[in-house]
Amino acid sequence: METRSRIDILSLFLYFAIAIIGIASVYSATYEDGSMNLLDGRSGKQIMWFGASLFVGIIIFFLNANFFEVFSWYFYVPLMLLLVVVLFIGADINGARSWIKIGSFSIQPSEFAKYGAAFAVSSVLSSIDFSFNKRYDVIKLFAVIAFPAILIVIQGDTGSALVFASFILVFYREGLTPLLLVLGIVAIFIFVLTLVIGFSYFAITALVLFLVFTAFTYTNKKMLIPSLSILAVVVLFSLSVQFLFNNVLQKHQQKRIQVTLNLIEDNQGAGYNVNQSKIAIGSGGFAGKGFLNGSHTKGNFIPEQTTDFIFCTIGEEGGWLLSTLTITLFMLFILRLLYLASRAKKKFKRIFILSLASIFFFHLLVNVGMTIGLMPVIGIPLPLISYGGSSILAFGIFIFTALKMDASRDEDLTSES
Amino acid sequence: MNRHRSLYISIAVVVIGSIYILRLFQIQVLDDSYKNTAERISLRKQTIYPQRGLIFDRENKLVVFNEPVYDLMVSVPIRLGGIDTNSFCGVLDIDRPEFDTRLAKAKKSSYRGKAVFMKNVSNRLYARMQERLYEFKGLFFEIRRDRNYKYNSSAHVLGYLGEVSKNELGTQEDDYYEQGDYVGKKGIERYYEDELRGVKGEKYFYVDIHGVNKGSYKEGKLDIEAIDGHNLGLSIDIDLQQYGESLLNNKMGSVVAIEPKTGEVLALISSPFYNPANFNIQNRGSYYNRAIQDPTKPIFNRAVSAPYPPGSTFKPIMALIGLEDGAITPATHFGCPGYFRLGRRTIKCHPHPFSTSLERSIASSCNTYYCNTFKNMMQSDKYANTEEAYISWRSYLESFGLGNKLGVDISSEFRGWLKEPSFYDQMHGKGRWSYANIISLSFGQGELGLTPIQIANLAACIANRGYYYTPHVVRQIENVDAIPEEFRTKHFTKVSAKNFDAVIAGMLAVTQNGTGAGVAIKGINIGGKTGTVQNPHGKNHSAYMAFAPVEDPKIAIAVVVEEAGYGATWAAPIAHLMIEHYLQADSVTESSKMYLETRLKEANLIPLKYRSQRDTSLYGN
Ligand SMILES: [Zn+2]
């Protein structure tokens, strides 16, 4: 049986390729003139965490693949407990209570919570009698991801909580009506429009569109009630956006959103990071300034240089070529995972691998988007690149678990859909 | 159906990835502005200031050297959030409000990525701060060079440095100076600025967010080494200069001594003087206002800027012009009854034998002789009218360097007063004035003003029998073959050499049996001429002009002591002591000379009205 387990070489190659870019970037971002060794400082720790990931990966490959499906709740529950525990014993770092200190190490349970949630989601979705038409099932499904998300928001790390939204992509793939996705996109559209042109103009525009629409369809009386209620919902939503934005969001959160939407120019406050990040990346040019030669990243002009804004080092020192290579590697990795998911014979495994792909995609979308000014500043790492033991280890375990599931696909005789 | 959804998700991944790659192409390849902004933010140019040229005296003694000055700078944009303000204030010995004011000021005055937080930090503070600078990111020292001095002497010759002014910045041609740079403001520091300043170097490097150097730009390929300024060798003999200063102590006046054969200035003193060290960059702030409030005007360089009527020291040149123009001959005698009659007016003379030769007219300083000489010239048949004769007379004077700036290498030179004929036309009407209106010019009074250096140059012209070199205080410029052309050009007077004999004989007689005989120096033949200058504002000025030795002149000198009385009492002995000091400095000291020296050094001739307002601390330290 074990001899038929073959790991997917392409995925493994992409994993190492991205990891090497990550180590080099962290090394360069922390490099000072003189004799700093690759194994010193943050790059050394980064390498150590990759080593730990490989070690755990090897253990995972000795496990029986069915173990994960059978014991999926044994992954979810303890990891959720950790999220609760951190609220009580967590160390307060930068206003977030999301770290547990063990000796000289700190671990961030929220990074591992994604892994746990993937088990629970896979378990719920793959159960024989699950249906998106059953209200209880859907509530259970959403509860499984809402629970960690809410705990993480309480910790004060909204960015990491938002990552759980990436499971909606998994639900969509597994049969959730796209209405929710469409509604989400429309909601974002109304949200942005309200902030850009203000509620009053938005309401007037909506009213005009409604009147024009009604004028064209006045023969069809059946359309009036639905379109009127759509108008009401849209206007009410816009009003509540205005209200929530002004009264619920804190000043710095408002600013981050406004800066992203280019509503305000603020290169010192909220816009500072993004502006400096764009300058660093933009100054890299076509081929970059060369390894260890990023004057802007070397000058510490960008906060969170090795973690959330690590892409700046890639962009500045490697230019457009390395940026493109990095994004392409990520794309290939995500596409490969999607392929692995599609060839899985068991639903559980498919959903699990799909979860990994979705989470990866979300991180890439938000992290890189933020550094080039296309997304608001949301502090989540670029997987396998950003410095951080918990993130490296959690993603490593996540990836090796997924690869193990793929490697053992031949054991699964029947194909479920 | 769900398999299609997998495809949709894959498409979404590719679309988002492509959008990001295109966006990166836009900001990294298409848009240059990020590159420029990055360099503006993180690339800095540091100016490497060269050593300003050193200044040595005639005997190669070091006079002026450089001393580092430390300005505590803050890099801009200012980010001092990380520093411990309390301990910072503690090290600098300032309180919190002062810290805030300085920071606010720095914010306003930032220039090219930095601003001054505290200027001229003391050496002690610099050392203390330097040790702890790593704690205070964003602050750094900029080192510049101020001047310091080996001797408390020669302030007016040397001048001083100051920060370049807005006006100087605006009018500079070569773009050398930047705001905050030091530039020569007075004296030779100003005149030889281009030689002294050297060439600034440049160093390009990256800085981090705190302005800390993060390594050189393009491996230093664009860096430029600083080139030190040229050293200057003064013609001033610092020993003679200091001796003269000791004689002029507590007096208002001036001494200028010139080597006649070269025009090199041996000593140039304006009194009251000040300690040049009090006027360097670090100290001038606390002394300048006191200096300009002092009624004795210690900053004013009398030697090149103050016009005095020459009085009787003018008589030798009158004699020379009279001889050259034919108004008199060496044998001309005029009778002097003790006055010169001018219609109903008389010009007084002082008692001396009635019949006066040219030689005796100089030795006994006869006014009548020169009134007659001037009258002869002004009424000479050679000229159509008085105006023409005056123009001729004036051009003789100009050939001796009067009426115009000599062009000495010290700033603020004044040309003196020597009126154009139009001045008298305005006063009396065109063609309606004669010798009688301007007779007092003949004995050095009236509308006539000579600076001490012009009088000294006059003495040099006589010593040289008819020529002079423009006086200058610098005789060597390191690495430059010669001093400027204008100091190597012989200027001939309009009086021919043969006419000097009789005048020189007269000047020798002054010190042998004339007005200056009382303070003669044994063993040195001095040609001199005393002057007692009428001063409408107070006591007469005491003046003297001389050169020695008569047979082979090595020094020409002019001395003016304001509101002091007779020329023979003060100016003449000062000049003679200087000559003696210069020509035979190691001679046996006679007791009579000792007595004279002491009397001069100790005399306080500052007019009583000024004494209480004088600020003697300017000379101190
Ligand atoms: Zn007389």
Side-chain angles (χ1 to χ4, degrees):
Chain A
M1 288 286 241
E2 291 300 322
T3 49
R4 293 166 69 189
S5 295
R6 282 205 320 275
I7 191 162
D8 182 53
I9 296 298
L10 181 57
S11 302
L12 204 60
F13 167 77
L14 290 168
Y15 171 80
F16 280 114
I18 294 171
I20 286 166
I21 291 176
I23 291 166
S25 303
V26 170
Y27 175 66
S28 179
T30 50
Y31 179 83
E32 301 267 341
D33 277 343
S35 59
M36 207 187 94
N37 198 302
L38 184 67
L39 299 176
D40 295 339
R42 294 198 154 185
S43 52
K45 280 193 177 171
Q46 186 90 332
I47 291 171
M48 189 195 81
W49 286 112
F50 275 110
S53 307
L54 291 179
F55 179 73
V56 179
I58 289 167
I59 293 173
I60 287 170
F61 266 78
F62 279 106
L63 296 174
N64 185 310
N66 290 324
F67 167 84
F68 296 112
E69 188 169 358
V70 175
F71 291 99
S72 54
W73 292 100
Y74 290 85
F75 287 91
Y76 183 74
V77 174
L79 286 172
M80 292 306 115
L81 283 177
L82 220 49
L83 284 181
V84 177
V85 169
V86 78
L87 287 178
F88 296 100
I89 65 160
D92 196 323
I93 296 173
N94 292 333
R97 196 172 274 278
S98 43
W99 298 82
I100 294 176
K101 281 201 119 175
I102 305 166
S104 62
F105 292 113
S106 296
I107 64 155
Q108 199 180 355
S110 56
E111 287 297 326
F112 295 91
K114 299 167 208 168
Y115 181 59
F119 279 103
V121 164
S122 306
S123 181
V124 172
L125 271 177
S126 62
S127 65
I128 310 271
D129 52 351
F130 178 86
S131 165
F132 277 108
N133 297 321
K134 288 194 249 170
R135 185 176 298 169
Y136 172 77
D137 283 1
V138 175
I139 290 174
K140 187 179 172 190
L141 187 61
F142 275 90
V144 152
I145 58 167
F147 183 64
I150 288 166
L151 286 174
I152 293 169
V153 169
I154 295 171
Q155 287 171 15
D157 187 1
T158 323
S160 296
L162 281 175
V163 173
F164 290 85
S166 50
F167 282 103
I168 293 174
L169 208 57
V170 178
F171 303 165
Y172 162 70
R173 162 65 181 80
E174 292 304 317
L176 177 67
T177 164
L179 195 64
L180 201 62
L181 275 177
V182 172
L183 277 180
I185 290 165
V186 169
I188 290 171
F189 181 72
I190 296 174
F191 177 82
V192 170
L193 211 59
T194 304
L195 293 185
V196 172
I197 67 175
F199 169 72
S200 329
Y201 284 103
F202 179 83
I204 291 167
T205 312
L207 193 65
V208 169
L209 285 174
F210 167 75
L211 291 176
V212 169
F213 180 78
T214 315
F216 276 100
T217 59
Y218 69 98
T219 46
N220 190 347
K221 292 279 189 288
K222 272 193 281 181
M223 293 296 283
L224 191 61
I225 301 298
S227 56
L228 200 59
S229 36
I230 287 174
L231 175 71
V233 168
V234 162
V235 170
L236 275 176
F237 179 72
S238 169
L239 185 63
S240 55
V241 163
Q242 181 103 335
F243 177 81
L244 285 173
F245 186 82
N246 290 337
N247 300 298
V248 175
L249 287 189
Q250 287 171 350
K251 265 265 154 2
H252 74 272
Q253 290 167 324
Q254 291 177 6
K255 272 200 165 176
R256 279 184 186 183
I257 292 168
Q258 286 170 323
V259 166
T260 310
L261 296 178
N262 272 330
L263 293 180
I264 54 169
E265 188 87 20
D266 179 16
N267 291 336
Q268 288 308 313
Y272 174 79
N273 295 2
V274 175
N275 190 46
Q276 293 297 330
S277 151
K278 271 155 69 181
I279 289 167
I281 294 171
S283 67
F286 180 72
K289 297 177 185 171
F291 186 51
L292 304 181
N293 280 330
S295 55
H296 212 70
T297 43
K298 252 166 103 183
N300 300 323
F301 288 93
I302 307 145
E304 310 300 337
Q305 180 78 65
T306 56
T307 55
D308 297 347
F309 282 93
I310 190 70
F311 193 72
C312 296
T313 304
I314 295 172
E316 188 183 17
E317 300 189 349
W320 185 72
L321 288 181
L322 189 65
S323 309
T324 301
L325 175 68
T326 308
I327 291 175
T328 306
L329 289 173
F330 270 102
M331 274 162 47
L332 289 175
F333 190 59
I334 295 164
L335 293 174
R336 184 67 184 174
L337 287 174
L338 289 172
Y339 169 74
L340 298 188
S342 68
R343 77 181 182 188
K345 287 170 186 156
K346 290 189 98 175
K347 204 174 176 186
F348 178 87
K349 291 182 177 177
R350 178 177 76 215
I351 295 167
F352 188 87
I353 298 172
L354 207 51
S355 301
L356 174 60
S358 299
I359 291 170
F360 236 73
F361 182 40
F362 187 88
H363 274 264
L364 177 73
L365 178 78
V366 170
N367 182 286
V368 176
M370 150 184 103
T371 61
I372 56 179
L374 293 179
M375 284 276 161
V377 175
I378 294 170
I380 59 173
L382 187 57
L384 307 183
I385 302 234
S386 289
Y387 171 76
S390 299
S391 168
I392 300 286
L393 188 59
F395 272 112
I397 294 171
F398 207 154
I399 289 164
F400 285 115
T401 307
L403 293 183
K404 168 69 186 173
M405 289 181 182
D406 172 66
S408 60
R409 66 186 181 280
D410 289 347
E411 299 164 23
D412 311 323
L413 296 174
T414 53
S415 181
E416 305 164 33
S417 65
Chain B
M1 175 212 174
N2 288 358
R3 289 213 167 251
H4 286 140
R5 291 188 174 184
S6 278
L7 185 63
Y8 297 155
I9 294 172
S10 302
I11 290 171
V13 171
V14 174
V15 167
I16 296 284
S18 305
I19 289 174
Y20 282 11
I21 287 170
L22 287 175
R23 164 74 168 175
L24 283 162
F25 191 77
Q26 185 215 333
I27 69 172
Q28 292 186 298
V29 182
L30 299 182
D31 193 340
D32 266 348
S33 68
Y34 293 102
K35 200 163 211 137
N36 301 334
T37 314
E39 300 216 322
R40 185 171 51 72
I41 293 174
S42 60
L43 190 63
R44 289 274 185 286
K45 184 182 91 172
Q46 187 189 8
T47 304
I48 310 296
Y49 290 94
Q51 284 269 5
R52 197 171 171 86
L54 306 175
I55 300 174
F56 298 87
D57 95 325
R58 192 176 189 81
E59 305 292 326
N60 248 336
K61 291 180 190 158
L62 180 63
V63 178
V64 185
F65 58 98
N66 298 311
E67 197 180 66
V69 186
Y70 310 99
D71 290 345
L72 184 57
M73 310 292 290
V74 54
S75 57
V76 177
I78 296 170
R79 290 176 210 287
L80 296 182
I83 74 164
D84 178 350
T85 316
N86 284 337
S87 75
F88 179 72
C89 289
V91 177
L92 276 186
D93 211 8
I94 57 175
D95 55 16
R96 189 60 205 245
E98 191 183 342
F99 174 86
D100 292 334
T101 352
R102 283 180 181 280
L103 205 59
K105 222 173 139 192
K107 271 178 189 156
K108 273 188 216 149
S109 64
S110 73
Y111 179 73
R112 299 201 180 170
K114 61 194 180 189
V116 176
F117 183 81
M118 191 183 261
K119 255 188 172 11
N120 301 333
V121 175
S122 71
N123 281 352
R124 189 179 53 86
L125 209 59
Y126 168 73
R128 207 163 63 182
M129 193 70 197
Q130 187 75 344
E131 277 176 20
R132 300 187 54 184
L133 212 51
Y134 70 93
E135 291 175 44
F136 309 127
K137 283 195 171 156
L139 288 141
F140 61 97
F141 279 107
E142 210 163 71
I143 301 171
R144 274 194 265 201
R145 294 191 174 90
D146 196 1
R147 289 299 217 181
N148 213 339
Y149 304 86
K150 284 280 179 196
Y151 303 93
N152 179 357
S153 172
S154 314
H156 292 101
V157 174
L158 302 171
Y160 50 79
L161 303 180
E163 259 185 40
V164 66
S165 69
K166 283 221 171 76
N167 188 28
E168 287 167 317
L169 277 175
T171 56
Q172 62 175 327
E173 281 163 13
D174 53 358
D175 230 20
Y176 180 90
Y177 300 100
E178 287 180 6
Q179 191 181 323
D181 280 358
Y182 300 153
V183 61
K185 292 280 186 183
K186 282 273 156 61
I188 58 168
E189 295 279 18
R190 175 168 181 166
Y191 194 90
Y192 292 98
E193 170 67 18
D194 289 354
E195 284 79 10
L196 286 167
R197 69 186 186 185
V199 180
K200 283 196 239 174
E202 285 172 358
K203 217 169 153 180
Y204 292 88
F205 58 91
Y206 287 113
V207 292
D208 71 2
I209 192 164
H210 301 295
V212 176
N213 189 332
K214 299 297 278 186
S216 61
Y217 175 67
K218 295 193 173 166
E219 283 105 43
K221 265 178 225 153
L222 299 183
D223 294 359
I224 302 170
E225 291 265 340
I227 302 171
D228 290 345
H230 301 297
N231 295 341
L232 297 184
L234 293 178
S235 60
I236 299 282
D237 180 327
I238 196 74
D239 178 51
L240 181 66
Q241 174 87 10
Q242 284 190 296
Y243 181 65
E245 284 166 353
S246 72
L247 297 174
L248 271 191
N249 191 26
N250 286 326
K251 293 158 194 76
M252 284 161 58
S254 178
V255 173
V256 178
I258 297 173
E259 183 179 69
K261 287 192 181 70
T262 57
E264 290 172 6
V265 176
L266 302 169
L268 188 142
I269 304 161
S270 174
S271 181
F273 25 80
Y274 58 90
N275 184 347
N278 288 341
F279 264 57
N280 70 8
I281 298 281
Q282 293 167 84
N283 301 328
R284 192 163 70 253
S286 48
Y287 285 99
Y288 190 79
N289 277 332
R290 288 149 69 176
I292 56 174
Q293 277 160 15
D294 188 326
T296 61
K297 298 185 185 170
I299 314 179
F300 185 53
N301 188 354
R302 290 171 162 81
V304 298
S305 309
Y308 299 96
S312 299
T313 59
F314 198 60
K315 283 169 183 163
I317 191 177
M318 278 303 297
L320 289 168
I321 295 169
L323 288 168
E324 185 71 24
D325 206 59
I328 52 170
T329 69
T332 302
H333 282 62
F334 291 110
C336 175
Y339 56 85
F340 174 75
R341 181 165 291 283
L342 197 66
R344 262 173 289 164
R345 283 205 294 146
T346 56
I347 308 278
K348 275 195 182 152
C349 193
H350 25 257
H352 60 86
F354 178 77
S355 175
T356 318
S357 67
L358 174 56
E359 186 186 310
R360 292 314 301 164
S361 75
I362 293 173
S364 56
S365 201
C366 177
N367 287 346
T368 308
Y369 195 96
Y370 292 95
C371 290
N372 279 312
T373 305
F374 194 56
K375 178 184 172 188
N376 282 0
M377 183 177 171
M378 290 298 119
Q379 294 189 326
S380 164
D381 295 340
K382 282 171 70 181
Y383 305 111
N385 52 40
T386 308
E387 181 176 341
E388 205 174 280
Y390 179 83
I391 290 169
S392 170
W393 177 77
R394 194 176 180 282
S395 75
Y396 280 114
L397 294 180
E398 282 186 317
S399 75
F400 281 82
L402 306 184
N404 295 300
K405 286 183 183 181
L406 283 167
V408 299
D409 50 359
I410 298 178
S411 64
S412 354
E413 192 191 354
F414 184 62
R415 63 187 164 80
W417 296 324
L418 180 60
K419 298 299 183 189
E420 299 277 354
S422 58
F423 174 83
Y424 299 104
D425 287 344
Q426 264 184 6
M427 207 167 178
H428 307 288
K430 179 93 179 155
R432 298 185 56 184
W433 49 283
S434 71
Y435 81 92
N437 300 97
I438 53 174
I439 193 76
S440 46
L441 295 175
S442 66
F443 46 92
Q445 295 288 159
E447 303 82 15
L448 204 53
L450 274 61
T451 62
I453 199 164
Q454 283 176 325
I455 302 173
N457 190 52
L458 216 51
C461 290
I462 297 168
N464 288 336
R465 292 168 196 259
Y467 70 87
Y468 71 93
Y469 287 100
T470 302
H472 50 279
V473 296
V474 168
R475 62 172 194 163
Q476 277 172 348
I477 303 170
E478 182 202 39
N479 295 332
V480 174
D481 289 339
I483 54 172
E485 172 77 31
E486 57 262 37
F487 302 128
R488 290 181 281 125
T489 312
K490 231 179 203 180
H491 301 281
F492 285 96
T493 67
K494 284 189 171 178
V495 176
S496 43
K498 64 175 170 29
N499 284 326
F500 281 83
D501 293 342
V503 172
I504 290 172
M507 288 177 73
L508 183 60
V510 167
T511 64
Q512 285 174 341
N513 48 38
T515 52
V519 289
I521 300 284
K522 256 192 199 162
I524 306 173
N525 289 326
I526 300 173
K529 182 69 198 81
T530 55
T532 304
V533 182
Q534 290 163 32
N535 172 19
H537 308 292
K539 257 176 106 175
N540 290 338
H541 299 320
S542 171
Y544 192 67
M545 168 181 90
F547 62 90
V550 170
E551 346 36 282
D552 177 21
K554 295 214 161 43
I555 179 169
I557 191 165
V559 179
V560 178
V561 184
E562 292 177 23
E563 308 195 24
Y566 292 112
T569 322
W570 301 105
I574 289 173
H576 286 180
L577 285 173
M578 294 273 297
I579 288 169
E580 200 268 347
H581 191 91
Y582 181 67
L583 292 181
Q584 36 183 266
D586 50 358
S587 72
V588 180
T589 313
E590 291 175 49
S591 60
S592 65
K593 184 192 142 191
M594 289 277 285
Y595 166 74
L596 193 59
E597 236 176 36
T598 316
R599 175 176 76 92
L600 287 166
K601 283 180 181 175
E602 288 177 0
N604 186 347
L605 301 179
I606 302 282
L608 284 171
K609 58 189 173 189
Y610 296 148
R611 283 190 200 176
S612 63
Q613 300 164 63
R614 266 191 87 197
D615 191 339
T616 46
S617 71
L618 289 169
Y619 183 63
N621 298 308

